[in-house]
Amino acid sequence: MIVAAPPFDAFFSCTEHFQGQFEALGDALGTDCFVQRMVEVDGRAWLRAHRGDGTDNADWFGWRQPVLSPCDCVVVRLRSGAATNSPGIPGAPPADFVVLERDDGVHFLIAHIREPSVAVGDLVRAGQAIAKVGNNGYSRSPHVHLGAWRQDTALQIRFDQSMMRLPPELRGK
């Protein structure tokens, strides 16, 4: 397991890829993270990833939100230019992504990004904005996929909870 800085400066939740679900490094033991907000529907508050029916990318709270670096590392690979998907309709791989490498050889893949603000060779700090949330490649909605590995071993990611902040809509409740 590896500890990483949170991918967003917002409330989020993640779904994990279980052991054996995917074999490729970067996918194996990876996690898909979605920005979420409290949404009131008929007088009840629900934690949701989108407003309304979510059929437009702009309905998703994560759409075009800053994606933060999980580590102090160097950008070793970058892909940009994939077509944007409509929610509910997965596109064709590959997705746009950035690969980062820490000094200890741990690599992080962040996929389904758009508008990267870094280039190969750049040094980035944990928590630094490196791109925006997109919806491309084999993705059904705006989110980011994070995977980690060292050499040929996939690593499970745990986010450093001490770096997370309570979202404004939940403060004081």
Side-chain angles (χ1 to χ4, degrees):
M1 182 169 37
I2 194 76
V3 176
F8 308 116
D9 187 19
F11 191 75
F12 67 96
S13 66
C14 301
T15 58
E16 296 180 315
H17 297 281
F18 55 85
Q19 178 71 33
Q21 184 178 5
F22 298 106
E23 296 301 321
L25 290 176
D27 285 330
L29 298 179
T31 185
D32 294 331
C33 298
F34 300 81
V35 171
Q36 296 200 330
R37 291 188 188 156
M38 294 300 290
V39 174
E40 189 172 315
V41 178
D42 297 327
R44 294 176 183 234
W46 305 95
L47 193 57
R48 297 262 170 94
H50 60 79
R51 65 180 63 79
D53 62 9
T55 57
D56 187 68
N57 283 316
D59 293 341
W60 291 75
F61 300 123
W63 178 247
R64 300 192 73 221
Q65 292 299 307
V67 176
L68 309 179
S69 173
C71 58
D72 292 342
C73 26
V74 63
V75 177
V76 295
R77 200 162 165 220
L78 182 67
R79 183 185 191 283
S80 183
T84 298
N85 302 337
S86 294
I89 304 170
D96 287 350
F97 63 83
V98 61
V99 176
L100 307 167
E101 183 178 8
R102 290 192 332 194
D103 286 344
D104 64 358
V106 170
H107 288 80
F108 287 92
L109 167 80
I110 303 104
H112 310 297
I113 63 166
R114 62 180 289 132
E115 303 172 44
S117 56
V118 295
V120 171
D122 285 355
L123 299 173
V124 296
R125 305 286 299 167
Q128 176 183 333
I130 58 173
K132 293 189 178 176
V133 174
N135 181 13
N136 55 61
Y138 192 70
S139 167
R140 290 179 174 84
S141 60
H143 74 288
V144 293
H145 168 84
L146 286 94
W149 69 92
R150 181 183 288 123
Q151 296 175 349
D152 61 353
T153 302
L155 301 170
Q156 193 172 2
I157 299 170
R158 171 129 181 132
F159 294 108
D160 184 345
Q161 293 177 323
S162 70
M163 296 179 74
M164 295 180 187
R165 290 186 240 151
L166 190 63
E169 66 269 19
L170 296 179
R171 291 185 189 141
K173 296 194 179 195

